[in-house]
Amino acid sequence: MRIPILKLHNYLLVSIQIDLDDQTAIQFQEDLLSKIHKSGATGVVIDLTSVDIIDSFIAKVLGDVITMSDLMGAKVVLTGIQPAVAMTLIDLGIHMQDVPTALDLEQGLIKLRQELEE
């Protein structure tokens, strides 16, 4: 199953509404990077509100997606991180201090605009 990636002005919006398995995560990575390349998007908001659990592989892919997007010139903001996901990321040693976060999609868009204006 593919994760929809929507374009809004110069941004891409992603709301992950399904349980991520390894194949879906890899497909998402490829789809997002391709969409950044084709659209010239300068920012991406990834909404994780519906993600209740995350394993080490999915966490690594998510971290890689953020790094790769940045290398392609698109700033990423994560929104809706659930407490269990936050704890798992830290337990796995995946620290995202440099990644802006927000409580929800609306706040994420505001944060993305602020990040890109700096």
Side-chain angles (χ1 to χ4, degrees):
M1 174 168 243
R2 283 202 145 115
I3 296 169
I5 301 169
L6 307 174
K7 186 169 186 320
L8 177 68
H9 306 293
N10 249 7
Y11 306 146
L12 298 178
L13 306 178
V14 181
S15 182
I16 300 176
Q17 300 286 322
I18 58 172
D19 288 332
L20 288 173
D21 58 46
D22 293 358
Q23 184 164 350
T24 303
I26 293 295
Q27 186 66 57
F28 165 63
Q29 178 177 301
E30 292 171 4
D31 290 349
L32 181 60
L33 296 176
S34 174
K35 192 92 169 190
I36 290 169
H37 179 72
K38 289 177 183 169
S39 70
T42 57
V44 179
V45 176
I46 300 175
D47 183 45
L48 301 171
T49 302
S50 297
V51 177
D52 295 323
I53 57 170
I54 193 168
D55 65 22
S56 59
F57 182 77
I58 304 300
K60 182 192 178 315
V61 170
L62 185 59
D64 289 349
V65 162
I66 292 166
T67 303
M68 291 174 192
S69 297
D70 192 46
L71 287 170
M72 295 180 70
K75 185 76 174 172
V76 175
V77 173
L78 295 178
T79 64
I81 297 175
Q82 299 299 318
V85 172
M87 288 187 284
T88 302
L89 290 171
I90 297 304
D91 287 347
L92 293 171
I94 299 173
H95 301 281
M96 298 188 179
Q97 304 91 302
D98 298 331
V99 180
T101 59
L103 289 176
D104 58 32
L105 193 55
E106 182 179 4
Q107 292 296 317
L109 283 168
I110 293 168
K111 180 80 123 187
L112 184 58
R113 265 190 229 112
Q114 291 169 347
E115 290 289 325
L116 292 173
E117 288 173 1
E118 292 179 358

